Amino acid sequence: MVFINIHVVQRLSSLKKISLRSIIIPYHSIMKLKSIVFVIFMLTWQNICAQYSVARRWNEVQLMAIRQDLARPPVQARNLFHVTLAMFDAWAAYDAKATPFLLGNVIGGQFFPFNGAAAIANNDTLAAQNEAISYAAYRVLTYRYTNSPNAAITLYRFDTLMQNLGYDINYITTDYENGTAADLGNYIASQVIQFGLNDTSNEIDDYTYINYIPSNAPLMVDSAGNPTMTQVNKWQPITLSVSFDQNNNPVPNTPKFICPEWGRVIPFALPENAKTVYTSNGGSYPVYFDPGTPPQLSLTDVNDSSSLLFKWGHQMVATWSSHLDPDDTAMIDISPNQFGNLNILPSTFGQLTQHYNYLQGGDTSHGYAVNPVTNLPYASNLVKRGDYTRVISQYWADGPNSETPPGHWFVLLNRVSDHPLFVKIMEGSGDVLPALEWDIKSYFMLGGAMHDAAIAAWGIKGWYDSPRPISAIRLMAGLGQSSDSLLPHYHPGGLQLIPDYIELVQAGDSLAGPNNEHVNKIKIKSWLGF
């Protein structure tokens, strides 16, 4: 017997006031159902994808692979970049104007030889590009996802797509100067793989960090408070009683910091003059676009400006968590007439306080007056705030079957490209591009951007080593309140009281306990998830 996926149960039970926790289905029934669904899905997917370019089809199977792999956004950003790089070079090698990115160039101190591809058979450039792209993508994808938790299904998809395209998966030669487009694709894949083994991502050791050491003992999530956090402004591991990855694969109960040394990875286009290199514990920590030290919590000075900003941000997280409740009666207008159109974004920490709507959620954007296509005002779109915020948070949270944030952007790109009103003109000028050329170029640019964004973001995360909200909020709540020294449970490092959101437990409160043992402790309005 097996239980239904708890994430599905959460979503269903949040929509209907019934308990689904006890529903069980025989294991053999689930396996039979999964097999049938998988076969139907594969047949349907193959028919749908037949209309797309070969680059789009390889992108789709990679997104499927990510959805069943470990949720490691910087790693998946790199995987997406390297596959789009392989496809771009395979396309560019046969294009009269384009120049390959890797082939024939020195990237990150490595030289990647290329003497030009063999003549194209029958002068069929598109056929040669499709073949080279497919072999390049297939080899890189197979190499990268061989150790995926669901490798059997993932590799089967790769094999099936190659066979549907009419290519031999057993053809492995790399004689690109004298052979076929398949040789070129295999050669490009070998160079991309070699590039990845020397880009300082530590791929050879499954991307494990080398020099980073956590400053705090783990937070025991199932226990009250946070007594193990001694370095209040540093990252803290968490320990869960049971831990699964996004595809229900068991993972260590105390997960490691994901890629805290990722700033070392060779970027696509990040400029050297945007990099600051720090050192710690014998290792370097490159930081691109260094924002400076983030707000720091003070345990002694209640008026410290940095500490006040630290509390402001974390308290907003706590306050907004209450918006996730499906019983929240608030209605919000999510029409473009209310959202977006901010001309100036905050450039300092202090400006952040004017950027967000602290209690109601969202930012202070004022929307757009008219739809630029119809020249008419946008209609209002009122929805329950609890439903909207849960959908948004779940989409970006690497939940079950997520392609992770870097993959989300590829999904969005594909949807935009498929829109009937969209015109495939690069950078808004020139000729309308064929589907393959549009996909190759747009994927390569987006892949490079996601890769660089991950390097910059995780470089900052790793060096400044800031704590998670759960660690900081539990710590501050345990210290007490910092709003009024004359009120009970005062501490300079405690949370500030916000009526209806962050308060002290009062005698007679439902949270007070049978012996009033919790009176004057901090209570936070939030949604527990069920």
Side-chain angles (χ1 to χ4, degrees):
M1 310 287 277
V2 297
F3 285 91
I4 288 179
N5 187 314
I6 191 64
H7 299 289
V8 176
V9 173
Q10 284 179 304
R11 291 182 180 183
L12 291 175
S13 60
S14 67
L15 296 175
K16 296 183 178 181
K17 293 298 182 179
I18 58 175
S19 174
L20 302 177
R21 283 172 167 262
S22 60
I23 296 179
I24 54 177
I25 298 176
Y27 178 79
H28 68 275
S29 298
I30 287 183
M31 291 300 101
K32 183 182 293 185
L33 179 61
K34 287 178 67 176
S35 299
I36 294 172
V37 170
F38 179 71
V39 171
I40 293 174
F41 171 77
M42 286 299 295
L43 293 174
T44 304
W45 175 78
Q46 290 166 13
N47 291 332
I48 293 173
C49 283
Q51 63 183 300
Y52 293 135
S53 78
V54 71
R56 170 69 176 271
R57 297 176 74 175
W58 283 111
N59 179 253
E60 292 288 358
V61 293
Q62 182 173 10
L63 293 175
M64 293 180 190
I66 294 172
R67 293 179 188 120
Q68 295 186 300
D69 193 32
L70 297 172
R72 300 184 287 189
V75 174
Q76 300 299 357
R78 176 177 174 272
N79 286 338
L80 284 160
F81 171 55
H82 285 186
V83 173
T84 61
L85 157 59
M87 294 196 296
F88 177 84
D89 273 23
W91 174 84
Y94 289 121
D95 185 82
K97 297 180 180 179
T99 301
F101 175 78
L102 203 65
L103 298 182
N105 295 311
V106 176
I107 305 294
Q110 302 177 71
F111 176 62
F112 301 93
F114 183 60
N115 298 316
I120 299 174
N122 303 318
N123 293 319
D124 192 341
T125 301
L126 180 59
Q129 287 175 323
N130 284 340
E131 186 172 6
I133 288 167
S134 294
Y135 274 93
Y138 173 74
R139 297 292 174 209
V140 175
L141 285 168
T142 300
Y143 179 82
R144 288 289 167 79
Y145 292 95
T146 291
N147 295 320
S148 173
N150 291 281
I153 294 175
T154 292
L155 298 182
Y156 175 76
R157 284 199 192 100
F158 300 158
D159 291 350
T160 300
L161 179 53
M162 282 291 280
Q163 292 162 2
N164 288 342
L165 293 169
Y167 303 132
D168 181 4
I169 62 175
N170 297 311
Y171 189 82
I172 60 174
T173 61
T174 58
D175 185 12
Y176 68 89
E177 293 184 71
N178 303 296
T180 66
D183 292 81
L184 176 63
N186 287 335
Y187 175 73
I188 290 172
S190 71
Q191 297 305 291
V192 172
I193 290 170
Q194 184 64 31
F195 173 53
L197 292 174
N198 294 280
D199 69 348
T200 66
S201 66
N202 200 22
E203 178 185 334
I204 196 69
D205 198 22
D206 198 29
Y207 312 102
T208 301
Y209 47 75
I210 300 170
N211 306 104
Y212 175 81
I213 299 175
S215 300
N216 288 295
L219 165 66
M220 310 304 291
V221 174
D222 288 348
S223 300
N226 189 3
T228 58
M229 191 175 192
T230 57
Q231 301 297 314
V232 298
N233 291 298
K234 293 296 183 180
W235 185 82
Q236 180 184 36
I238 60 173
T239 296
L240 304 166
S241 57
V242 180
S243 185
F244 294 87
D245 71 6
Q246 65 180 32
N247 202 48
N248 271 353
N249 300 294
V251 293
N253 289 357
T254 306
K256 289 186 173 183
F257 197 138
I258 296 177
C259 306
E261 299 163 351
W262 207 249
R264 301 173 186 172
V265 177
I266 294 173
F268 167 59
L270 291 174
E272 279 292 307
N273 62 9
K275 180 172 67 174
T276 303
V277 180
Y278 298 98
T279 58
S280 177
N281 195 37
S284 64
Y285 286 80
V287 174
Y288 291 88
F289 309 111
D290 188 355
T293 303
Q296 303 284 289
L297 177 66
S298 171
L299 299 182
T300 58
D301 186 353
V302 71
N303 295 314
D304 178 80
S305 59
S306 181
S307 187
L308 288 171
L309 193 55
F310 181 97
K311 296 175 185 179
W312 174 88
H314 286 87
Q315 289 169 178
M316 187 168 66
V317 171
T319 300
W320 285 19
S321 70
S322 68
H323 299 167
L324 299 169
D325 190 344
D327 294 328
D328 180 7
T329 59
M331 302 292 291
I332 59 173
D333 187 353
I334 61 171
S335 166
N337 66 24
Q338 297 293 323
F339 277 100
N341 199 18
L342 269 174
N343 296 324
I344 300 176
L345 294 174
S347 58
T348 67
F349 289 123
Q351 292 173 357
L352 287 173
T353 59
Q354 305 302 316
H355 179 69
Y356 293 105
N357 192 327
Y358 201 81
L359 296 181
Q360 280 70 46
D363 57 36
T364 55
S365 59
H366 51 271
Y368 299 86
V370 296
N371 183 320
V373 175
T374 65
N375 289 318
L376 296 173
Y378 287 100
S380 295
N381 186 8
L382 291 172
V383 299
K384 290 184 66 176
R385 181 173 62 181
D387 292 341
Y388 178 77
T389 52
R390 287 199 317 282
V391 169
I392 291 293
S393 61
Q394 289 170 1
Y395 183 75
W396 291 103
D398 295 343
N401 299 313
S402 167
E403 59 275 348
T404 76
H408 292 335
W409 288 105
F410 279 84
V411 172
L412 295 172
L413 170 60
N414 287 335
R415 289 181 179 176
V416 170
S417 298
D418 288 343
H419 196 281
L421 295 181
F422 185 74
V423 182
K424 296 177 179 178
I425 297 177
M426 190 59 60
E427 298 184 26
S429 63
D431 298 330
V432 176
L433 300 182
L436 178 63
E437 184 174 352
W438 169 261
D439 289 340
I440 286 292
K441 290 181 175 179
S442 61
Y443 286 160
F444 183 46
M445 289 191 292
L446 181 59
M450 289 296 99
H451 179 56
D452 282 0
I455 291 171
W458 264 262
I460 293 169
K461 283 162 63 77
W463 171 246
Y464 287 110
D465 202 29
S466 297
R468 291 183 174 97
I470 187 175
S471 294
I473 292 170
R474 281 200 182 190
L475 174 81
M476 290 187 289
L479 294 175
Q481 58 86 17
S482 59
S483 291
D484 189 338
S485 61
L486 300 179
L487 290 177
H489 204 24
Y490 174 80
H491 191 286
L495 291 169
Q496 295 176 319
L497 300 177
I498 302 176
D500 298 325
Y501 292 98
I502 301 175
E503 300 180 340
L504 292 175
V505 176
Q506 303 294 323
D509 194 303
S510 60
L511 299 176
N515 299 309
N516 286 326
E517 62 269 25
H518 300 310
V519 169
N520 293 328
K521 291 183 179 179
I522 295 290
K523 65 177 181 180
I524 296 175
K525 183 180 179 182
S526 182
W527 179 52
L528 295 179
F530 287 98

